Amino acid sequence: MSGRMVVHAFAGQGDFTLAPLLRALDTQDVMEEALEEVGAEGDAVVAEFGVGPVVSQLLSGELRSARELADGPPGTAQYALFACSVAVHRALCRAGLAPDRVVGMSFGDIAACVAAGVLDVADGARVACLVARALTGHPGGMLLVEAPAVDGDPEAEAGRLLAALALPGLALACVNDDRRIILTGPPDTVTLAEQLLLGLALPVVRLRLPFLCHHPELGADARRFVEAMRDVRVGAARLPVYSSVLGRAYRPDDDVREVLSYGLTRPARLPGALRRAVEGGPAVVVEAGTGSALTRSAGELFAGRDVATVAALSADGFAEVSHGR
């Protein structure tokens, strides 16, 4: 990987699993040290929201599954995802793979902002819990749909699907790559959409997220979210932060609080943000988290280009991705 620009990519809530993290904690001191640091800065803050000391519980072995996170108070799963993402980023930095740029996919914008110094860990944890508070009370679902785009335009294909389904409340939530989109809507609508899409022989996966997100119905909650963040300290970015809801890097005149609120109501579009993040390559995109969905999407987006892609956590623990720059 010598000479490549390094991009850390942070995933959203649809791709979070604990198993790779737990394996890494058992085998890699650098991962344990990084997570301890994040917990020391974040666990006390989330107690303000009724969330337990998630990181301490992960490190002690009290928490061992995503189901336990889902059963916790609102904000538990969101804080866990945020904390693990930041910890993986810090472990990568210590392993010699610090980023030149960062990309946030949906909820991953929060960790990306922390990685770039726009937010500190305490305020990032606070924002993660505020997102959870905004989502609570809006039951819904999300469908990952594989619908190969015509002429390389997945959003146009999503529009055709939505028009064909004609289900009230169903909306485009995310564009992951040139083949995969995510739809969101109320529970009954999502169930019916899943049945209809399977009837069209389209691969569909229902994500384990029981709420609306990236949905226009959350407009009032987005405004309250911004107001609740007024005391959150926002600093200057130390490196470029590419946002999937903006489709570009943050600019100095962007209101970070407003942009973070966009993730509640606007679609997240990963392809544009990733393509801009690797401009001027060659580059390596490293997924700074516990999953591999962004790695898969980046691999498809950059097939045939001089862009390497790798998930930081593998089946064997912390990936050996630090073989030089």
Side-chain angles (χ1 to χ4, degrees), residues 55-76:
V55 173
S56 298
Q57 292 168 341
L58 283 170
L59 290 165
S60 69
E62 293 176 64
L63 275 175
R64 302 297 294 180
S65 73
R67 171 52 58 189
E68 292 175 276
L69 294 173
D71 290 340
T76 302

Side-chain angles (χ1 to χ4, degrees), residues 73-153:
T76 302
Q78 286 80 8
Y79 171 54
L81 169 57
F82 161 78
C84 292
S85 299
V86 174
V88 171
H89 155 76
R90 290 188 174 185
L92 287 168
C93 291
R94 291 177 180 176
L97 211 69
D100 300 293
R101 300 172 180 177
V102 294
V103 179
M105 174 57 172
S106 183
F107 182 84
D109 263 21
I110 305 170
C113 283
V114 171
V118 176
L119 302 173
D120 62 21
V121 168
D123 278 331
R126 186 170 289 111
V127 173
C129 288
L130 288 172
V131 169
R133 178 183 290 176
L135 298 175
T136 300
H138 294 281
M142 305 185 85
L143 295 174
L144 175 65
V145 186
E146 191 167 316
V150 178
D151 299 325
D153 190 347

Side-chain angles (χ1 to χ4, degrees), residues 122-272:
D123 278 331
R126 186 170 289 111
V127 173
C129 288
L130 288 172
V131 169
R133 178 183 290 176
L135 298 175
T136 300
H138 294 281
M142 305 185 85
L143 295 174
L144 175 65
V145 186
E146 191 167 316
V150 178
D151 299 325
D153 190 347
E155 194 156 351
E157 182 62 24
R160 285 189 285 270
L161 274 179
L162 289 170
L165 295 171
L167 295 175
L170 192 66
L172 174 65
C174 304
V175 178
N176 287 10
D177 50 47
D178 288 341
R179 296 196 300 145
R180 297 176 185 88
I181 60 172
I182 296 176
L183 304 180
T184 186
D188 291 345
T189 298
V190 168
T191 298
L192 180 54
E194 183 178 18
Q195 295 168 352
L196 293 172
L197 290 165
L198 289 171
L200 295 172
L202 290 174
V204 180
V205 176
R206 188 156 186 169
L207 303 182
R208 293 176 295 177
L209 299 174
F211 42 69
L212 292 178
C213 194
H214 301 288
H215 197 282
E217 188 177 304
L218 296 172
D221 298 270
R223 291 189 290 274
R224 287 191 289 269
F225 173 80
V226 173
E227 287 304 314
M229 282 202 300
R230 288 303 175 195
D231 292 334
V232 168
R233 295 160 294 179
V234 175
R238 294 192 297 264
L239 62 155
V241 182
Y242 291 81
S243 165
S244 61
V245 293
L246 288 175
R248 57 168 174 80
Y250 281 80
R251 297 169 181 152
D253 59 344
D254 283 323
D255 184 328
V256 173
R257 302 170 185 84
E258 289 281 351
V259 175
L260 290 173
S261 78
Y262 294 165
L264 296 173
T265 59
R266 302 184 184 186
R269 300 172 173 91
L270 181 63

